[in-house]
C-alpha cells in the first residue's frame, strides 16, 4: 500500500468458527461484525504491519430436563463444539417406565437414548416418566388372625385388583384398591386361602403372582 493509505479488510472465518480478535502488530483492532463476517479499516499506513486474526470454534448448549422417577444423562447443561455429537441416556427408576422424550419440543416417543449429531445450534431434550405396568412382586400375607389377614405387595400402579378365595372353592371374591395393601376380614379360621393381585395401568393389565397363605 502507498504511504498513508487506509486499507479495509474483510475477515471470513471457516464454518463453525468465530473471529475473537484481530491485531495489527501488537495493537488490538476494532472489528465490526455482520452475520459473523468481520471488517475493519486500518489507520494510515506508515510502515509494514503484520495482521493476525485469532479464531475459536463455536460452542452450543444442550439443556436436558427430567421429570420425577427417572434420570437423563448427561445433565443438565452440556456445552458442545460445532459439529460435535452428544448421546443422552434415559433411565427410569424401578417400577417406572419412559413415557415420552421430547427433543426441541417435539415428541420422539418412549426412547431410551438419543444422539445429537453434527451439532450446529442450541438444543433441548426432556424426559417424562410414568408408573410401569408389571407383575406386582413381593406378595406377602401378614398380621394373620383367625378371621383376617393383611396382604401387601410392591407397586406404583394407579390401582389393583385383589382376588381371594378358599383354596377348595372355585369362586373368587374381588376388591379394587389404589394402594399396594389390603386387609381381608371375615375369613374362616383354620382355612387355606388363595389370593392374587393384578395391576391396572392405563389400557394395560398385568396379572400378579398366585400364592397361598
Amino acid at each position: 500500500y502507498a504511504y498513508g493509505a487506509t486499507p479495509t479488510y474483510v475477515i471470513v472465518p471457516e464454518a463453525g468458527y468465530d473471529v475473537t480478535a484481530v491485531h495489527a502488530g501488537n495493537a488490538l483492532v476494532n472489528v465490526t461484525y455482520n452475520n459473523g463476517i468481520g471488517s475493519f479499516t486500518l489507520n494510515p499506513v506508515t510502515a509494514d504491519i503484520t495482521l493476525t486474526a485469532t479464531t475459536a470454534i463455536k460452542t452450543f448448549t444442550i439443556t436436558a430436563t427430567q421429570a420425577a422417577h427417572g434420570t437423563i444423562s448427561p445433565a443438565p447443561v452440556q456445552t458442545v463444539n460445532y459439529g460435535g455429537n452428544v448421546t443422552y441416556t434415559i433411565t427410569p427408576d424401578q417400577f417406572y417406565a419412559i413415557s415420552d422424550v421430547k427433543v426441541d419440543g417435539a415428541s420422539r416417543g418412549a426412547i431410551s437414548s438419543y444422539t445429537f449429531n453434527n451439532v450446529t445450534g442450541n438444543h433441548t431434550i426432556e424426559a417424562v416418566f410414568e408408573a410401569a405396568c408389571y407383575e406386582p412382586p413381593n406378595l406377602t400375607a401378614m398380621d394373620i388372625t383367625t378371621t383376617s389377614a393383611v396382604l401387601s405387595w410392591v407397586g406404583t400402579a394407579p390401582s389393583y385388583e385383589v382376588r381371594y378365595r378358599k383354596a377348595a372353592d372355585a369362586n373368587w371374591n374381588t376388591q379394587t384398591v389404589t394402594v399396594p395393601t389390603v386387609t381381608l376380614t371375615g375369613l374362616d379360621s383354620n382355612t387355606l386361602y388363595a389370593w392374587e393381585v393384578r395391576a391396572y395401568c392405563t389400557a394395560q393389565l398385568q396379572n400378579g403372582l398366585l400364592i397361598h397363605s
Side-chain angles (χ1 to χ4, degrees):
Y1 290 101
Y3 182 91
T6 55
T8 296
Y9 288 85
V10 175
I11 305 175
V12 182
E14 292 183 1
Y17 286 81
D18 289 321
V19 176
T20 58
V22 176
H23 288 83
N26 293 323
L28 184 65
V29 176
N30 184 23
V31 181
T32 300
Y33 294 96
N34 183 15
N35 294 326
I37 298 175
S39 63
F40 63 92
T41 300
L42 293 177
N43 294 326
V45 176
T46 59
D48 292 341
I49 300 174
T50 299
L51 300 177
T52 304
T54 303
T55 60
I57 193 168
K58 292 181 178 180
T59 60
F60 304 96
T61 58
I62 300 179
T63 303
T65 57
Q66 64 194 40
H69 308 304
T71 60
I72 180 171
S73 62
V77 179
Q78 295 294 308
T79 300
V80 186
N81 287 341
Y82 179 93
N85 305 322
V86 181
T87 297
Y88 283 82
T89 301
I90 301 93
T91 306
D93 291 344
Q94 186 179 21
F95 306 134
Y96 284 84
I98 300 168
S99 175
D100 191 22
V101 174
K102 294 181 179 179
V103 176
D104 296 329
S107 174
R108 297 302 179 102
I111 56 176
S112 60
S113 67
Y114 183 84
T115 299
F116 291 93
N117 292 306
N118 190 29
V119 173
T120 58
N122 298 326
H123 294 283
T124 61
I125 183 169
E126 176 187 4
V128 180
F129 305 94
E130 64 183 357
C133 207
Y134 58 90
E135 283 192 356
N138 300 337
L139 275 66
T140 304
M142 55 187 178
D143 297 336
I144 299 173
T145 72
T146 55
T147 59
S148 67
V150 177
L151 311 180
S152 68
W153 55 95
V154 175
T156 57
S159 64
Y160 302 90
E161 181 186 85
V162 182
R163 303 199 309 172
Y164 66 98
R165 60 177 173 79
K166 295 177 182 179
D169 290 350
N171 297 324
W172 292 91
N173 300 294
T174 302
Q175 294 188 30
T176 300
V177 296
T178 57
V179 292
T181 185
V182 65
T183 300
L184 303 182
T185 59
L187 305 178
D188 293 344
S189 61
N190 299 317
T191 302
L192 183 66
Y193 281 82
W195 64 285
E196 65 180 17
V197 179
R198 57 182 177 180
Y200 287 100
C201 309
T202 61
Q204 302 179 65
L205 175 64
Q206 289 290 330
N207 285 325
L209 302 175
L210 176 65
I211 73 166
H212 299 273
S213 62

